[in-house]
Amino acid sequence: MSATNASTSKSSRIKRWSQSLTGQILIIMALGVASAQFISSTIWLRQLESDTEENVREVSKHMAFRIAATVSYFKSLPTNYRHIVIDQLQDMGGTRFFVTLNKEEIRINNIPDSPLKDIVKNEVQGTLIRQLGIHNAKIAFSSPSDLHVINNHTRLVDLPERWGHHSLLVKPLTPPIIVIQIPINDKDWLYLASLMPDPYFLDGASALSEDRLFSMAMSVITVLLLSIVVLRRVTRPLATLARAAERFGQGDWKPIKEVGSIEVRNTAKAFNDMQRRIQRYLNDRERLFASISHDLKTPITRLRLRAEMLDEDDIRDAMIRDLEDLDMLVKGALQSVKETDIHENRIEVNISRMLKDMQSTANLHDTKLTVVGELKHPFIGKPLAIKRCLGNLVDNALYYGKTATVFIEDDEDEVCIRICDQGPGIPIDKMDKVFQPYTRLTPDHSGHPGGMGLGLSIARNIARAHGGEVTLSNHIEQGLEAKLWLPRH
């Protein structure tokens, strides 16, 4: 099988599954669970963000006061003592702030903006303005690994541990660091850095984070697995009922088990009752036709003998013709019933061989019938019924068209047999009428085995009993095409 055919077959199976009751319920449940998870995660995240913003605002206020106090203390020191105090703080280690006096403004590689970052920045900036009247403070956030100190060429990680590692590095975590730079005079910048209390407070949160997606996927999978177990139990009786209805439509009557939910049991019971009633009707019909045929043969024969004893030739010939027509109608009715209600088991049918045999019989003297194509996959059906159906269609094609070509088209899902002749065709308005019993479009049918007008009716009934159909269509140029379609079940 080619890649295109495989892809088409897979798409067809997926489409059939999505249209089934189980598939639709599973899709609805999956969407429902995923939507519920997403909505609950979004609500939880919004509440978390609100609580986090409030906590960050409170923490930022305390931090801003400590920063303002530290800045005020260093500004109050005499210039000569500032470096001494800074050196002592660095030797002590473990302080809350890393403080230096730099000769230039340090360029900070700012981390991405976020609402929480703006809250901290606004709190610190507002406190410095209110407490100290400082409007020119430079406030930024940096990651510890990329923080520059002292000058623009020295990073925090390059300094001795006693200088700032205890106050600004918390391994293995990497909390952000807030950096405040304030110009003290024309030459010096007060550089103050401090760890944020919460190492994760600037981490972005999303309702569709990896953890939540995993949790959502596990919830959906769990619900679907449990649903499959329940749905199989619920839909198995429905599938059995569908198969039984299909078999019954093809003439195979067998009662089904009445199991499942109350509604399914009631449906199965009603279906079994319907099968029995229809089967009784079919049996009564078959017996009725057989009785009528048998009972009419004797009086028809007596009437024919009496008619032949009449002296008037005209009256005798007219009565004999009427009796022959009556006898033909009785035989036709019996034939229609017998050839439609074929009681045989379904087995593997070699349609190609049937058509080849018909080809050999038809071509004893001249080439009249051509068969194109082969059956690629076995077909399961009623062999005698299929043979009668094909025989009627081929006989019609040879009778009206003199020659015919049969095309066999086969795949995994269906068998399609097209019988094309070179005859006059059928008027469009009579396409459906020819399938009715005793319908003949031409008065002279001598020599035609289906001369009673039952061939197409019987062929269509047999095809429909197999779940298929027989259709007719005229060719654009000349001739008629009879198409027999049989599905594989």
Side-chain angles (χ1 to χ4, degrees), residues 400-419:
Y400 291 103
K402 308 304 179 185
T403 61
T405 304
V406 180
F407 298 92
I408 302 175
E409 300 171 358
D410 187 22
D411 59 34
E412 294 181 350
D413 298 323
E414 63 185 28
V415 177
C416 181
I417 299 173
R418 296 186 295 111
I419 303 170

Side-chain angles (χ1 to χ4, degrees), residues 203-218:
D203 291 347
S206 171
L208 293 178
S209 63
E210 291 184 2
D211 292 340
R212 293 187 181 90
L213 285 176
F214 177 77
S215 174
M216 186 184 302
M218 293 305 298

Side-chain angles (χ1 to χ4, degrees), residues 206-453:
S206 171
L208 293 178
S209 63
E210 291 184 2
D211 292 340
R212 293 187 181 90
L213 285 176
F214 177 77
S215 174
M216 186 184 302
M218 293 305 298
S219 299
V220 171
I221 291 173
T222 302
V223 171
L224 291 183
L225 290 177
L226 294 175
S227 301
I228 288 174
V229 175
V230 176
L231 286 174
R232 280 184 176 178
R233 180 178 177 84
V234 173
T235 58
R236 188 180 293 114
L238 294 177
T240 302
L241 179 61
R243 289 193 297 269
E246 187 175 4
R247 289 196 307 268
F248 182 65
Q250 298 171 359
D252 183 10
W253 178 75
K254 185 183 296 183
I256 62 174
K257 295 181 179 179
E258 299 173 8
V259 296
S261 62
I262 295 177
E263 294 79 6
V264 174
R265 291 200 303 270
N266 292 337
T267 303
K269 184 178 184 302
F271 178 76
N272 285 333
D273 293 341
M274 180 194 69
Q275 285 190 108
R276 295 186 186 97
R277 289 193 299 270
I278 294 177
Q279 191 62 40
R280 284 197 300 268
Y281 163 76
L282 294 176
N283 293 336
D284 292 343
R285 187 192 70 161
E286 186 175 353
R287 286 192 296 269
L288 175 63
F289 274 94
S291 299
I292 291 174
S293 175
H294 180 270
D295 293 342
L296 285 178
K297 282 181 180 179
T298 300
I300 289 175
T301 303
R302 287 200 304 265
L303 287 173
R304 184 164 185 171
L305 290 174
R306 292 174 181 176
E308 290 178 352
M309 297 175 63
L310 294 174
D311 296 332
E312 294 83 355
D313 294 339
D314 294 340
I315 298 176
R316 182 179 63 248
D317 293 340
M319 290 187 66
I320 290 176
R321 285 196 300 271
D322 290 340
L323 289 173
E324 288 177 348
D325 290 341
L326 181 59
D327 186 53
M328 184 185 68
L329 291 175
V330 173
K331 291 179 180 179
L334 185 60
Q335 179 189 1
S336 177
V337 173
K338 288 177 61 180
E339 296 196 3
T340 301
D341 297 335
I342 299 176
H343 302 289
E344 57 178 329
N345 295 327
R346 291 176 175 270
I347 61 173
E348 186 175 313
V349 182
N350 194 332
I351 295 179
S352 297
R353 179 174 295 176
M354 284 184 182
L355 291 171
K356 294 292 184 181
D357 292 341
M358 294 179 189
Q359 181 183 26
S360 300
T361 303
N363 297 342
L364 290 177
H365 301 291
D366 299 321
T367 301
K368 298 180 180 179
L369 183 63
T370 304
V371 179
V372 179
E374 291 285 342
L375 201 69
K376 299 178 182 177
H377 310 280
F379 179 79
I380 306 299
K382 298 181 177 181
L384 291 179
I386 295 295
K387 186 175 182 179
R388 287 173 183 170
C389 178
L390 290 173
N392 289 347
L393 296 177
V394 170
D395 288 342
N396 273 353
L398 293 177
Y399 179 79
Y400 291 103
K402 308 304 179 185
T403 61
T405 304
V406 180
F407 298 92
I408 302 175
E409 300 171 358
D410 187 22
D411 59 34
E412 294 181 350
D413 298 323
E414 63 185 28
V415 177
C416 181
I417 299 173
R418 296 186 295 111
I419 303 170
C420 305
D421 61 42
Q422 297 298 317
I426 298 177
I428 298 297
D429 58 339
K430 296 183 179 180
M431 282 290 184
D432 293 330
K433 185 178 179 182
V434 294
F435 286 104
Q436 298 176 7
Y438 304 108
T439 300
R440 293 173 292 189
L441 298 182
T442 57
D444 183 14
H445 283 258
S446 59
H448 181 35
M452 289 181 291

Side-chain angles (χ1 to χ4, degrees), residues 149-174:
V149 295
I150 301 176
N151 56 55
N152 286 307
H153 304 289
T154 304
R155 296 186 306 168
L156 174 64
V157 293
D158 299 329
L159 297 178
E161 291 189 3
R162 64 182 180 83
W163 279 33
H165 285 215
H166 294 293
S167 57
L168 298 181
L169 294 180
V170 182
K171 296 180 180 180
L173 303 177
T174 56

Side-chain angles (χ1 to χ4, degrees), residues 75 125-136:
K75 290 188 70 173
Q125 197 167 36
T127 301
L128 290 176
I129 293 173
R130 291 191 300 271
Q131 298 288 332
L132 304 177
I134 298 176
H135 295 270
N136 56 351

